[in-house]
């Protein structure tokens, strides 16, 4: 099922802009929370339900105001977009920043600062999505009868995808192994989605075909999704943390009551014994 889901996600980039597909990844969080509530009996807190509702509202807002997919007839058009000065500058900054983090920051602060590993994953993730979209377009055109596999640009994008994905998996596993998953997941989602939107806007010029009202509405929808995701992760263990506290208080109260019930009769018995015992004889002088 994971493979099928990733294939569907891969195909989505070939038919829709990344600015629409990437934020909708928050729906997987909602579905996971709903299935855990119904199948695994993991209770969903009221604030968790509110977080799911916010994610749905934000996703609908983005879906209704997302830009139309750009008409591309060849993978060479995508390569031309990727080699424009604006995106080349962005890609250079991303690669340099990722290399600095990997070779200079990770050895010193990787185990103590959560932003280091996530920063590497998010930076390279934005390039991964752009390459995945280019590769998806090439495969879509190939399946429709226009073969794109003999273009070297197709294999160049495939090489970029393989390199970036392998690096992402490595450092994401390190982040999950070092830090709490409940903290890693929302931070990674926010950084990855934000950088992907920036890369898509620069490379495919998604906002050039939209008016300011649509752009602001999309950003509001994105912020709504971020708020829902944060709220869902922040409160997902609230039931677990509240439950032991109440049970601990009850057990403590019960133990105190039992202690009182056991101790009082003993004191009463001691008093009775003291009253019924004969007077002690004076000690004899040695």
């Amino acid at each position: 099922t994971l493979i099928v889901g990733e294939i569907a996600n891969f195909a989505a980039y070939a038919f829709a802009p990344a600015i629409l597909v990437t934020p909708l990844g928050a729906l997987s969080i909602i579905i996971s929370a709903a299935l855990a509530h119904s199948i695994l009996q993991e209770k969903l807190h009221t604030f968790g339900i509110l977080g799911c509702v916010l994610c749905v509202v934000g996703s609908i807002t983005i879906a209704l105001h997302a830009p139309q997919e750009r008409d591309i007839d060849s993978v060479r058009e995508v390569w031309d977009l990727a080699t424009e000065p604006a995106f080349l500058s962005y890609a250079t900054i991303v690669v340099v920043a990722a290399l600095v983090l990997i070779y200079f920051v990770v050895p010193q602060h990787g185990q103590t600062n959560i932003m280091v590993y996530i920063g590497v994953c998010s930076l390279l993730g934005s390039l991964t999505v752009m390459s995945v979209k280019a590769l998806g377009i090439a495969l879509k055109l190939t399946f429709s009868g226009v073969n794109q596999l003999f273009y070297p640009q197709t294999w160049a994008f495939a090489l970029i995808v393989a390199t970036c994905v392998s690096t992402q998996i490595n450092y994401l596993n390190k982040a999950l192994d070092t830090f709490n998953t409940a903290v890693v997941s929302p931070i990674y989602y926010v950084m990855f989605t934000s950088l992907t939107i920036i890369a898509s806007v620069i490379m495919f010029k998604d906002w050039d075909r939209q008016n300011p009202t649509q752009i602001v509405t999309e950003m509001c929808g994105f912020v709504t999704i971020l708020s829902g995701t944060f709220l869902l992760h922040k409160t997902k263990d609230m039931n677990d943390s509240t439950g032991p506290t109440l049970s601990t208080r009850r057990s403590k109260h019960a133990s105190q009551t039992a202690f009182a019930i056991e101790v009082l009769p003993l004191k009463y018995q001691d008093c009775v014994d003291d009253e019924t015992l004969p007077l002690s004889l004076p000690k004899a002088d040695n």
Side-chain angles (χ1 to χ4, degrees):
T1 56
L2 180 61
I3 293 175
V4 172
E6 292 302 321
I7 292 176
N9 190 44
F10 178 85
Y13 284 108
F15 295 93
I19 196 173
L20 171 62
V21 177
T22 307
L24 292 183
L27 294 177
S28 63
I29 301 175
I30 301 173
I31 296 174
S32 299
L35 291 178
H37 178 76
S38 59
I39 297 177
L40 302 179
Q41 304 301 320
E42 296 182 2
K43 299 303 180 182
L44 192 62
H45 194 268
T46 304
F47 290 105
I49 298 175
L50 178 59
C52 293
V53 172
L54 290 176
C55 290
V56 171
V57 172
S59 301
I60 294 175
T61 303
I62 292 179
L64 292 177
H65 297 85
Q68 296 295 324
E69 175 67 358
R70 189 188 187 103
D71 293 331
I72 296 177
D73 299 326
S74 174
V75 70
R76 290 181 296 181
E77 294 184 23
V78 185
W79 184 262
D80 292 338
L81 294 174
T83 53
E84 289 185 356
F87 188 76
L88 280 179
S89 301
Y90 172 81
T92 302
I93 293 173
V94 166
V95 172
V96 171
L99 292 177
V100 169
L101 288 175
I102 292 173
Y103 289 104
F104 297 100
V105 183
V106 167
Q108 297 181 0
H109 306 287
Q111 298 294 322
T112 57
N113 193 332
I114 190 174
M115 301 301 294
V116 177
Y117 289 141
I118 297 180
V120 175
C121 298
S122 301
L123 289 169
L124 296 179
S126 62
L127 299 182
T128 301
V129 171
M130 298 301 101
S131 302
V132 164
K133 183 172 179 61
L135 192 59
I137 292 174
L139 293 177
K140 179 183 71 173
L141 294 174
T142 301
F143 292 147
S144 64
V146 184
N147 190 4
Q148 304 290 312
L149 298 181
F150 60 85
Y151 289 119
Q153 290 88 343
T154 301
W155 301 106
F157 283 124
L159 180 61
I160 295 173
V161 169
T163 303
C164 292
V165 167
S166 59
T167 307
Q168 278 183 262
I169 292 175
N170 180 32
Y171 285 97
L172 184 59
N173 285 334
K174 289 183 178 181
L176 294 173
D177 184 57
T178 307
F179 304 99
N180 190 352
T181 305
V183 180
V184 172
S185 297
I187 295 178
Y188 175 61
Y189 173 78
V190 171
M191 292 186 62
F192 169 72
T193 306
S194 301
L195 290 174
T196 300
I197 291 176
I198 294 174
S200 180
V201 169
I202 295 175
M203 180 173 174
F204 292 97
K205 302 175 177 61
D206 295 323
W207 285 349
D208 291 350
R209 305 183 300 276
Q210 292 187 292
N211 56 51
T213 302
Q214 292 175 317
I215 296 174
V216 172
T217 305
E218 287 177 12
M219 291 296 97
C220 291
F222 179 54
V223 172
T224 303
I225 293 178
L226 297 184
S227 303
T229 304
F230 174 80
L231 190 61
L232 183 61
H233 279 276
K234 191 68 175 178
T235 61
K236 71 174 186 176
D237 295 328
M238 187 170 292
N239 278 340
D240 296 335
S241 61
T242 305
T245 304
L246 292 177
S247 60
T248 304
R249 291 177 179 175
R250 290 176 181 175
S251 61
K252 183 178 179 180
H253 178 69
S255 62
Q256 290 177 351
T257 306
F259 179 76
I261 294 174
E262 292 176 359
V263 170
L264 287 176
L266 290 177
K267 289 184 178 180
Y268 176 76
Q269 184 66 33
D270 292 339
C271 296
V272 172
D273 293 340
D274 291 340
E275 292 178 356
T276 55
L277 285 176
L279 296 174
S280 57
L281 296 175
K283 295 181 181 180
D285 295 332
N286 293 332

